[in-house]
Amino acid sequence: MRFVIIGADAAGMSAASRAKRHQPELDVMVLEKTTDVSYSACGMPYTIADPERDIDELVVRAASVFREKQGINLLTGHCATCIDPVKKIVSGVGPADGGFEHPYDALLIATGATPKKPDRPGFDLPGVMVLKTLGDGRQIKTYLKANRVDKVVIVGMGYIALEMAEALRGLSLDVDMIKPGPVFLPWLEASLSQVVQAELEQHGVGLYPGKEIKGIERSGGRLTVVCADMDLSCDMVLVAAGIRPNSDIARAAGLQLSVSDSIAVDRRLRTSDPAIFAAGDCADAYHVVSGQKTWIPLALRANRAGWAAADNVCGMETSLDGVAGTAVFRTFHLEVAQTGLTLAEAKRSGFDPVQEVIQTRSRAHAHPGSSPLWVCMVGDKKTGRLLGVQMVGKEGAAHRINAPAVALHNRMTVADYSQTDLSYAPPFGPTWDPTLTAANQLLKKL
């Protein structure tokens, strides 16, 4: 049997390695359009922030290791362009002969996602960058080294944009952030969002939400982001306005698509064609709270889904429960974490939600080094079920979010969560963990 995989990053190489562990004799072929495989993309902002670090330090395992030690037929520089589900053939363009056709018995689409670029003039100019692949990271580091860059405009205000704002300010560059949407962080509870906004402004980042971008112009080596009512001049533009799933090859093959045009898969990662699987940023998932299909492209899901797809290809039936959307990022001195549904998402999902927002301390009363910690907790009035949690603070948010994430996976109520036996010591938190305090306050509204 031949197992062909399109894409050689988190989901693709996790699947290839696991399949070979299960069945060493299995013919596993991986088609990767670039020359980079198996790297830690989430580490790129921090590597860019350090001019002395090589972006290739983020490579987890070299292509040669997969080929020589694991026996995986890893073909880099091979861009798959077409799937024929009837003949079970993948075709595309290779580096040598200009074209290839490979038959498969089972196929995994792990094509990832692509950064969105506004359909406006000038977004293809030199000095206008995106950050998704290792190649993008190399390009940014090379550009910063080869050119005099004093100011960067970031288009977008999402996770990558906020991480890169910190990275670029760490290089002593001026940074402005701009986006068309009027709300700074629409997915974050308003008072918590204000804390993040104040942190960015305190570190000299200019914030311009609600600005319609007409295009980008280049003159005399400088770039200008042109808006309806203002212009921002700079030396480099970073477009961090979100991503879209690379599902075009699946659409052309007649496979069913889902939320945000991601590839629809069942809990075993099968697409609408039983011989074709999909995993990673190109595929959808079930949300453990709402039970509905969602598209939340995160690293852990990609790796886990790659494993599950390989299990099922090898005849070991594996089903994934889904995702809670647990995520965390740092911007300057703040940790921002979330899991589950926001109030608005819970309403759209058919719940009768209510939320509680508290401000507490990251450490016990009077313990040195304590700082404010904000918690927003959402519960369902009908069932009392815990629906989601968000946290912002200088410490104590990043790992504390894991407790409510586990509670969401186990469908706990707010009352159940309020009785959990969480750890306590003065250097790490108050006697009542901040999430327990939030739960106790939320119970008064349920």
Side-chain angles (χ1 to χ4, degrees), residues 86-97:
V86 176
K87 295 181 179 179
K88 291 189 175 182
I89 289 175
V90 177
S91 58
V93 180
D97 56 11

Side-chain angles (χ1 to χ4, degrees), residues 198-219:
E199 178 77 3
L200 288 162
E201 291 173 342
Q202 183 180 340
H203 285 86
V205 178
L207 298 175
Y208 299 93
K211 299 297 180 182
E212 181 186 353
I213 301 173
K214 298 292 188 180
I216 301 174
E217 297 175 355
R218 189 175 182 93
S219 178

Side-chain angles (χ1 to χ4, degrees), residues 197-374:
Q197 181 173 339
E199 178 77 3
L200 288 162
E201 291 173 342
Q202 183 180 340
H203 285 86
V205 178
L207 298 175
Y208 299 93
K211 299 297 180 182
E212 181 186 353
I213 301 173
K214 298 292 188 180
I216 301 174
E217 297 175 355
R218 189 175 182 93
S219 178
R222 295 274 285 176
L223 293 164
T224 301
V225 179
V226 180
C227 302
D229 59 348
M230 63 175 289
D231 295 341
L232 291 174
S233 181
C234 60
D235 305 294
M236 188 180 99
V237 174
L238 175 65
V239 183
I243 59 176
R244 62 173 181 83
N246 290 329
S247 58
D248 291 346
I249 193 170
R251 184 200 302 272
L255 301 181
Q256 182 180 341
L257 299 188
S258 179
V259 181
S260 300
D261 284 337
S262 57
I263 304 170
V265 295
D266 63 16
R267 295 187 187 275
R268 293 175 181 171
L269 287 309
R270 278 194 175 88
T271 68
S272 51
D273 184 315
I276 302 176
F277 298 75
D281 291 357
C282 64
D284 71 0
Y286 287 92
H287 201 290
V288 297
V289 179
S290 69
Q292 299 169 1
K293 284 296 191 80
T294 188
W295 182 62
I296 305 176
L298 292 171
L300 178 58
R301 167 68 183 191
N303 283 276
R304 178 176 285 142
W307 278 13
D311 288 350
N312 287 302
V313 166
C314 293
M316 305 169 62
E317 290 195 357
T318 300
S319 179
L320 295 185
D321 193 27
V323 298
T326 309
V328 63
F329 69 89
R330 188 190 75 188
T331 186
F332 297 101
H333 300 305
L334 281 183
E335 300 172 0
V336 183
Q338 67 170 350
T339 188
L341 303 177
T342 66
L343 187 71
E345 289 170 340
K347 288 178 181 177
R348 290 196 295 269
S349 297
F351 293 102
D352 183 12
V354 64
Q355 72 179 16
E356 178 68 25
V357 180
I358 66 162
Q359 179 182 339
T360 182
R361 307 294 296 179
S362 64
R363 305 183 187 184
H365 175 70
H367 192 87
S370 182
S371 60
L373 183 66
W374 289 264

Side-chain angles (χ1 to χ4, degrees), residues 4 6 31 80-84 88-92 100-104 107 249:
V4 175
I6 305 173
L31 306 171
T81 58
C82 182
I83 300 168
D84 186 333
K88 291 189 175 182
I89 289 175
V90 177
S91 58
F100 64 79
E101 285 190 354
H102 295 299
Y104 67 84
L107 175 68
I249 193 170

Side-chain angles (χ1 to χ4, degrees), residues 46-180:
Y46 309 103
T47 305
I48 291 169
D50 184 351
E52 302 304 316
R53 290 185 63 189
D54 191 325
I55 201 78
D56 287 323
E57 291 178 14
L58 297 174
V59 174
V60 178
R61 188 175 298 173
S64 59
V65 175
F66 289 109
R67 295 180 184 125
E68 297 164 12
K69 292 189 176 182
Q70 296 181 258
I72 296 168
N73 187 10
L74 173 55
L75 303 177
T76 55
H78 284 64
C79 180
T81 58
C82 182
I83 300 168
D84 186 333
V86 176
K87 295 181 179 179
K88 291 189 175 182
I89 289 175
V90 177
S91 58
V93 180
D97 56 11
F100 64 79
E101 285 190 354
H102 295 299
Y104 67 84
D105 296 294
L107 175 68
L108 171 63
I109 303 173
T111 45
T114 297
K116 293 180 180 177
K117 274 192 175 183
D119 186 16
R120 297 287 188 275
F123 275 85
D124 57 349
L125 287 170
V128 180
M129 311 286 189
V130 296
L131 183 61
K132 182 66 170 72
T133 68
L134 206 62
D136 297 332
R138 282 195 199 96
Q139 187 177 13
I140 291 172
K141 284 185 76 76
T142 299
Y143 192 87
L144 291 172
K145 186 176 182 179
N147 297 273
R148 178 174 177 177
V149 177
D150 297 314
K151 182 177 178 179
V152 179
V153 171
I154 301 175
V155 177
M157 298 182 185
Y159 288 10
I160 296 298
L162 293 168
E163 289 176 342
M164 282 300 295
E166 176 191 347
L168 295 169
R169 286 296 291 141
L171 293 171
S172 300
L173 305 179
D174 290 334
V175 176
D176 283 342
M177 303 180 74
I178 188 169
K179 71 169 187 175

